[in-house]
Amino acid sequence: MAPIKTSHFLKFFQNLDPVSRFVFLSLGLCSLSLLAIGTWGLVDRWTPPELILAAGDKEGESYIISEAIEKVVESKSNIKITLKETDSTSESLEMLRKNEIALAAVQADVAAEEMDTFSVNKVQSLPSEEKKADIRTIAILYQDLFQLVVKDPKILQFVQLRGKTVALPAKGGQYQSFLRMIEHYSLFKKDRQTLDVTVTGVQKSNYDDKQAEEDFKSGKADALFRVRAPGNHGIATLVKDFSGQLVAIQQAEAMKIKHPALENGTIPLGAYRGNPPVPSEDLPTVAVSRILVASDKVDKNIIKEITRIIIENRQDIANAISPEHPEVKSLVANIDDPRKANTAGLPPLHPGALAFYERDRPSFIQENADYLGLLLTVILLTFYWIRQLKIWMESRRKNEADDYIQSAINLMKTIPGNLDTSQKRLDEIFRKAADALIDERISQESFRTFNEAYKTTREAIDRERLQAQEQIQRKQREVSATYIKTMVELLHDRRKKDILQQKLDKVLNEVAEKLIAEEISQESFRTFIEAYRTTREAIERNYEL
């Protein structure tokens, strides 16, 4: 029967005109293509996606929470997740970019820094390197805190680590965070390159957190630095059993200027021991979010489903954590939408995560795209003109400030002339600059710069005046010394007493005239008078003998 059917089909096909044959073949190919695509979609839909999640150190909080997330996601979907232990955030991010993994739990500050570095390198890279994956954020997991543990109670600030030994592996995000602290507090030697702190793990390739803790316990290190959640088991052991003390790390807001992912944090009173409490008060420190990120190459729908399960099943995730880690269970409550956290500089959201977070968002933007586009254009044009006007006004203010500064500088060249005139001109320039500041014709910053030039010129005038006064005084002393010498010479004169006294009185009159003419100072005149009296008395004694 089959050959007969085939022959009928061929006969039917042969009887068609060329156009009908082309249409028939096109429709057949389209049907086969749609069937293949539909079949592939069904196979792909029903084939469980398998993802690898880099979770950090097995003893760390991020690995414990990642393990709980794995259990809950697999129990509520067909997504399979395999955990992979890694030594550091940097290693996890590098594996993610190379597409060796799909997900990673990482420090936000390291992700932000490396994201910026990768973006710069990507622009300059070869075409083959552009195939690397980009980092995309899924959710905030919890907050890590920078924690500094010391033995010496005299160490009360981070800056007191200068010259000390710190137990810390010299790799990974934790070490990078420590270097940011070093940079902020300028704990460098005179060459500005070498750390003025000894890090135990610098010359040890396999050095890890456990070895660092052992070095602290044995006294080989003065301090231990960790980026961990409050209540960390390892830190608790050092505090309870090895006399460890926590040190505050100040200036988080200042560090945020250069590293936006850093935040203010607090280690709560009694976080590691209740009686006596350790710490003994709420201890300020630096905080950084631990975030779940994904490769931008992971399917949007898969990430959307993972995000939904994580956000909607926090309690199940907490229940999946072993009772041996009660301090980690409480961290699950911090899992949230990254946009709600007060954290800047995070990698952009994954489209799948964004789709879940905006699932209930009304489509106002799509409905009013034309009007919003027009409004945006007007706003941008207005902003541009305001900006140009501001630039023009700032330029005028700067030019006027530069004129005052230049006038003060030029005045320094005329200082050797009339000092009083120079002082009056300088004061007049200052008055004009002050009026310009009050009238907002120059900025406060420009006025401060002018003020420096004014003070420099004024100091130069004062120095010149002082030198002139010293020169006058020196000349007056020389004149006085000349007259004193003349009187002393009279002691050796053998003429009559009356003649000598007349000469002595003549010298006195001349010196008095010099005093009135201010050619000698009062101090020099007093010295001369003492010499005059001594000489006169000597002459009297000589002639009495």
Side-chain angles (χ1 to χ4, degrees):
M1 294 296 294
I4 296 175
K5 288 182 180 179
T6 303
S7 62
H8 282 295
F9 174 78
L10 290 174
K11 186 176 181 180
F12 166 77
F13 186 75
Q14 290 172 355
N15 290 332
L16 294 174
D17 58 88
V19 175
S20 298
R21 288 179 185 176
F22 175 77
V23 172
F24 188 85
L25 288 174
S26 298
L27 290 172
L29 289 173
C30 287
S31 299
L32 290 174
S33 298
L34 289 173
L35 179 62
I37 292 171
T39 303
W40 176 262
L42 288 172
V43 172
D44 185 61
R45 182 180 180 85
W46 292 106
T47 300
E50 297 183 2
L51 307 176
I52 300 175
L53 193 163
D57 182 10
K58 275 191 176 181
E59 302 298 323
E61 292 87 350
S62 65
Y63 192 97
I64 296 170
I65 290 180
S66 298
E67 192 172 38
I69 289 174
E70 172 204 4
K71 294 176 182 177
V72 174
V73 168
E74 289 185 352
S75 68
K76 295 183 178 294
S77 70
N78 66 337
I79 301 172
K80 301 297 180 183
I81 296 179
T82 302
L83 294 189
K84 183 175 182 62
E85 183 181 13
T86 53
D87 291 333
S88 66
T89 288
S90 299
E91 180 186 357
S92 299
L93 293 174
E94 184 60 27
M95 293 174 68
L96 188 144
R97 291 198 187 99
K98 291 180 179 179
N99 295 305
E100 295 175 2
I101 60 172
L103 307 168
V106 298
Q107 278 183 222
D109 58 333
V110 179
E113 298 285 341
E114 296 202 9
M115 177 185 66
D116 293 340
T117 302
F118 179 68
S119 298
V120 173
N121 294 336
K122 187 175 179 181
V123 174
Q124 302 171 348
S125 62
L126 298 173
S128 60
E129 293 178 315
E130 293 181 357
K131 296 179 181 178
K132 289 186 176 181
D134 279 339
I135 307 165
R136 295 292 181 263
T137 304
I138 295 177
I140 298 284
L141 294 180
Y142 59 91
Q143 257 196 354
D144 272 330
L145 300 178
F146 290 11
Q147 302 190 54
L148 180 63
V149 187
V150 301
K151 283 190 175 181
D152 186 354
K154 294 180 181 179
I155 300 177
L156 302 176
Q157 301 177 26
F158 193 94
V159 292
Q160 291 177 301
L161 292 180
R162 188 181 297 277
K164 305 295 184 181
T165 299
V166 179
L168 175 68
K171 59 185 177 181
Q174 189 169 243
Y175 183 62
Q176 292 182 39
S177 298
F178 180 74
L179 292 181
R180 292 189 188 100
M181 300 298 100
I182 293 292
E183 178 185 7
H184 180 77
Y185 288 107
S186 299
L187 295 185
F188 296 100
K189 294 184 178 179
K190 291 182 178 180
D191 60 6
R192 303 297 301 165
Q193 299 293 328
T194 307
L195 302 187
D196 202 4
V197 174
T198 301
V199 178
T200 54
V202 167
Q203 297 180 346
K204 301 177 182 179
S205 58
N206 296 322
Y207 195 81
D208 57 17
D209 287 347
K210 289 185 178 179
Q211 291 173 292
E213 290 177 6
E214 292 302 318
D215 283 345
F216 181 85
K217 294 174 184 177
S218 63
K220 294 180 180 179
D222 303 297
L224 177 137
F225 180 81
R226 286 285 180 272
V227 181
R228 292 290 184 269
N232 176 264
H233 179 72
I235 296 176
T237 300
L238 299 181
V239 169
K240 294 176 181 178
D241 301 333
F242 295 92
S243 303
Q245 298 186 43
L246 291 161
V247 175
I249 301 178
Q250 307 279 1
Q251 304 179 23
E253 283 296 326
M255 297 176 198
K256 193 170 183 176
I257 296 172
K258 292 181 67 175
H259 307 289
L262 300 182
E263 307 169 48
N264 274 316
T266 302
I267 303 175
L269 166 71
Y272 289 101
R273 187 171 60 199
N275 186 25
V278 178
S280 58
E281 59 183 0
D282 286 346
L283 208 63
T285 187
V286 181
V288 61
S289 294
R290 180 74 60 165
I291 59 176
L292 182 65
V293 298
S295 163
D296 65 335
K297 299 186 182 301
V298 181
D299 184 80
K300 171 182 175 180
N301 293 322
I302 294 175
I303 297 299
K304 182 179 180 181
E305 180 65 7
I306 291 175
T307 307
R308 181 192 69 78
I309 294 172
I310 291 174
I311 298 299
E312 293 181 352
N313 297 274
R314 295 186 185 92
Q315 187 58 52
D316 291 340
I317 294 173
N319 294 339
I321 295 174
S322 169
E324 297 178 1
H325 302 287
E327 76 281 1
V328 181
K329 282 181 178 287
S330 61
L331 298 179
V332 175
N334 297 308
I335 297 176
D336 208 348
D337 179 351
R339 298 172 303 173
K340 295 180 182 179
N342 185 27
T343 303
L346 296 181
L349 278 173
H350 193 286
L354 183 63
F356 173 76
Y357 292 133
E358 295 186 344
R359 61 195 182 281
D360 298 326
R361 185 176 179 178
S363 57
F364 175 83
I365 294 176
Q366 295 177 347
E367 292 178 357
N368 301 277
D370 293 339
Y371 297 106
L372 291 176
L374 177 61
L375 179 61
L376 179 61
T377 302
V378 172
I379 291 173
L380 289 175
L381 285 173
T382 304
F383 174 80
Y384 173 79
W385 284 113
I386 292 174
R387 182 173 177 273
Q388 289 300 114
L389 179 62
K390 183 179 178 182
I391 291 173
W392 176 74
M393 292 176 65
E394 289 292 334
S395 177
R396 285 193 60 187
R397 294 168 70 184
K398 182 179 182 300
N399 290 340
E400 184 171 353
D402 289 345
D403 290 341
Y404 294 126
I405 294 170
Q406 190 62 47
S407 297
I409 293 173
N410 291 340
L411 192 58
M412 295 180 67
K413 301 176 182 177
T414 64
I415 286 176
N418 190 319
L419 295 177
D420 291 334
T421 302
S422 297
Q423 183 63 62
K424 289 179 181 178
R425 289 180 59 191
L426 182 62
D427 291 340
E428 180 63 18
I429 293 170
F430 183 88
R431 185 189 63 78
K432 291 180 179 180
D435 291 342
L437 175 65
I438 293 171
D439 296 337
E440 295 186 349
R441 298 199 308 274
I442 65 173
S443 66
Q444 292 186 1
E445 183 66 27
S446 298
F447 183 80
R448 282 194 291 269
T449 305
F450 160 77
N451 196 39
E452 292 296 325
Y454 166 81
K455 288 192 291 187
T456 302
T457 306
R458 189 179 183 91
E459 289 169 359
I461 292 174
D462 292 339
R463 285 196 302 271
E464 192 69 27
R465 180 178 282 110
L466 182 61
Q467 291 174 1
Q469 291 174 351
E470 290 175 350
Q471 186 175 2
I472 292 172
Q473 292 172 358
R474 185 168 57 252
K475 187 175 181 181
Q476 290 174 342
R477 288 192 296 270
E478 290 173 357
V479 171
S480 176
T482 301
Y483 285 110
I484 292 172
K485 182 179 180 183
T486 301
M487 288 190 302
V488 172
E489 289 174 353
L490 290 176
L491 292 173
H492 304 287
D493 197 329
R494 297 303 178 184
R495 285 180 286 184
K496 293 182 178 181
K497 175 183 177 182
D498 293 336
I499 294 174
L500 294 178
Q501 288 179 340
Q502 288 176 2
K503 284 184 173 292
L504 196 60
D505 292 339
K506 183 180 179 181
V507 173
L508 176 60
N509 291 333
E510 289 180 5
V511 173
E513 290 175 358
K514 294 289 184 182
L515 175 63
I516 295 171
E518 296 184 351
E519 294 182 14
I520 65 172
S521 65
Q522 292 183 0
E523 181 180 355
S524 299
F525 181 77
R526 284 193 294 271
T527 304
F528 167 80
I529 289 298
E530 293 294 329
Y532 167 81
R533 291 173 179 170
T534 302
T535 303
R536 193 174 186 88
E537 291 171 359
I539 292 173
E540 293 285 346
R541 287 194 301 272
N542 289 340
Y543 281 92
E544 286 176 358
L545 296 173

